[in-house]
Amino acid sequence: MTRRCAVALVHHPVLDGQGAVVTTAVTNLDVHDLARSARTYGCTDYFVTHPIAAQRALVERIRAHWLDGSGGRRIPDRREALGVLRVVESLEAAIDRLGGRSGGEVWATAARTLGASLGFEPARARLEAVGPPVLLVFGTGWGLAPSVVQQADVILEPIVAERGDYNHLSVRSACAIALDRLLGKR
Amino acid sequence: MTRRCAVALVHHPVLDGQGAVVTTAVTNLDVHDLARSARTYGCTDYFVTHPIAAQRALVERIRAHWLDGSGGRRIPDRREALGVLRVVESLEAAIDRLGGRSGGEVWATAARTLGASLGFEPARARLEAVGPPVLLVFGTGWGLAPSVVQQADVILEPIVAERGDYNHLSVRSACAIALDRLLGKR
């Protein structure tokens, strides 16, 4: 009926404030907030992608604390959210888990207009139709590197407010808003 | 033309996981994320309310780092976001700054249905009409205490997703989504 949706948070390759391609560090609340948003909006998976093994191990440790450790006993709702978390080394690995490039679609997000983009309304309609899984990709730092955006099947339009043209949302907020626009109850 | 909107984040009185009324600690990313969302959606003020002086001093220190210190020089966009941050001791103090109970409206938010609530669509229409300032109030912990909700002029409907009935969003995500539903570009 509706298409399978998943979220990916990319730590490399992303941009820094000067436009250089960098690798960012894991932020604990990115792990939590995006898992909670993904689970709330019915996404089946939330992939934290990081090329550095020690950073992946850190996320696995957070995951274990909430799935098997005392965290989950204290806050069962949080255990359920962290249940959608998967830790992988790259965006390609996340795509593979969803069925590969030919078996799914990669939808990139950006805070600025980067060429032809798909509006949230038509994107929402596409998710309600029959189709392959969709991986919604968010960048840390100053956003996804051009190499990721260029390989995406879809670029979602930037999030814009009614009043003014300032846009400096956190990735935690941007992901929540994008999921709500695509999958929120109307 | 459109009504003035402001955001308040309440650390007391809020509920804990067992339903007791407690005071929560300040979370750094709550300070940042809600300021960034408030500024992006054109809110004039973001009130962090905390009854404990040492916690208010901590938030003032974060604010100074970004407004006057090295943080703002490194990331000017962040300085602009933190410019809407105000630190006050209570929700009443925030209301006073907006013109008092008689000069503004308090709109409470909740993750669960708490009596008669206003839908986001009619709420959005109200914000586009002429009227006094609106203070959108969010709770930390397990949400606003009943005493806050009961004194509100409006209770906004809970955020619900299209798929499933699990709802365990962070306050950072919930605030972002609420602002987008009320003030996002359509």
Side-chain angles (χ1 to χ4, degrees), chain A residues 29 33 36 74-75 77-78, chain B residues 8-27 30 34 46 49-50 55 109-112 137-146 167-175:
Chain A
L29 283 184
D33 283 14
R36 296 166 72 175
R74 192 167 61 86
I75 310 180
D77 280 341
R78 196 66 59 92
Chain B
L9 182 67
V10 173
H11 294 84
H12 175 87
V14 294
L15 301 178
D16 71 6
Q18 283 70 49
V21 174
V22 296
T23 301
T24 58
V26 165
T27 297
D30 288 355
L34 273 70
Y46 163 40
T49 87
H50 208 295
Q55 289 276 290
T109 61
R112 285 149 297 140
V137 185
F138 297 86
T140 54
W142 268 253
L144 296 167
N167 178 340
H168 182 56
L169 296 168
S170 73
V171 72
R172 297 166 292 283
S173 298
C175 175

Side-chain angles (χ1 to χ4, degrees), chain B residues 115-171:
Chain B
S117 64
L118 182 66
F120 281 99
E121 280 308 312
R124 187 179 168 94
R126 282 204 203 180
L127 292 180
E128 285 163 3
V130 175
V134 169
L135 184 61
L136 295 164
V137 185
F138 297 86
T140 54
W142 268 253
L144 296 167
S147 62
V148 175
V149 175
Q150 284 155 12
Q151 289 180 48
D153 300 294
V154 164
I155 306 172
L156 282 173
E157 67 178 340
I159 291 166
V160 178
E162 201 71 69
R163 308 176 179 187
D165 57 359
Y166 174 95
N167 178 340
H168 182 56
L169 296 168
S170 73
V171 72

Side-chain angles (χ1 to χ4, degrees), chain A:
Chain A
M1 201 124 84
T2 50
R3 292 167 74 172
R4 178 179 173 187
C5 288
V7 168
L9 182 68
V10 172
H11 295 83
H12 175 88
V14 294
L15 301 177
D16 71 6
Q18 283 71 49
V21 174
V22 296
T23 301
T24 58
V26 166
T27 298
N28 180 44
L29 283 184
D30 288 355
V31 177
H32 284 261
D33 283 14
L34 273 70
R36 296 166 72 175
S37 294
R39 176 65 187 83
T40 295
Y41 285 94
C43 297
T44 56
D45 310 83
Y46 162 40
F47 297 97
V48 170
T49 86
H50 208 295
I52 299 174
Q55 289 276 291
R56 291 199 302 277
L58 171 64
V59 182
E60 291 285 12
R61 201 171 145 192
I62 295 168
R63 184 173 182 277
H65 173 71
W66 289 98
L67 283 186
D68 312 317
S70 60
R73 286 192 293 276
R74 192 167 61 86
I75 310 180
D77 280 341
R78 196 66 59 92
R79 176 195 282 142
E80 189 164 342
L82 274 290
V84 302
L85 172 64
R86 331 274 174 232
V87 188
V88 293
E89 70 275 20
S90 65
L91 185 56
E92 289 306 318
I95 294 166
D96 284 347
R97 293 258 201 123
L98 277 191
R101 283 270 172 193
S102 56
E105 287 179 12
V106 174
W107 293 14
T109 61
R112 284 150 297 141
T113 304
L114 303 170
S117 65
L118 182 66
F120 280 98
E121 280 308 313
R124 187 180 166 93
R126 280 204 203 179
L127 292 180
E128 285 163 3
V130 175
V134 169
L135 183 61
L136 295 163
V137 185
F138 297 86
T140 54
W142 269 254
L144 296 167
S147 62
V148 174
V149 176
Q150 284 156 11
Q151 289 179 49
D153 299 295
V154 164
I155 305 172
L156 281 173
E157 67 178 339
I159 291 166
V160 178
E162 201 72 68
R163 308 177 179 186
D165 56 1
Y166 174 94
N167 176 340
H168 183 56
L169 296 168
S170 73
V171 72
R172 297 166 292 282
S173 298
C175 176
I177 293 165
L179 288 176
D180 188 63
R181 287 186 175 196
L182 294 171
L183 299 164
K185 192 95 166 177
R186 291 287 172 82

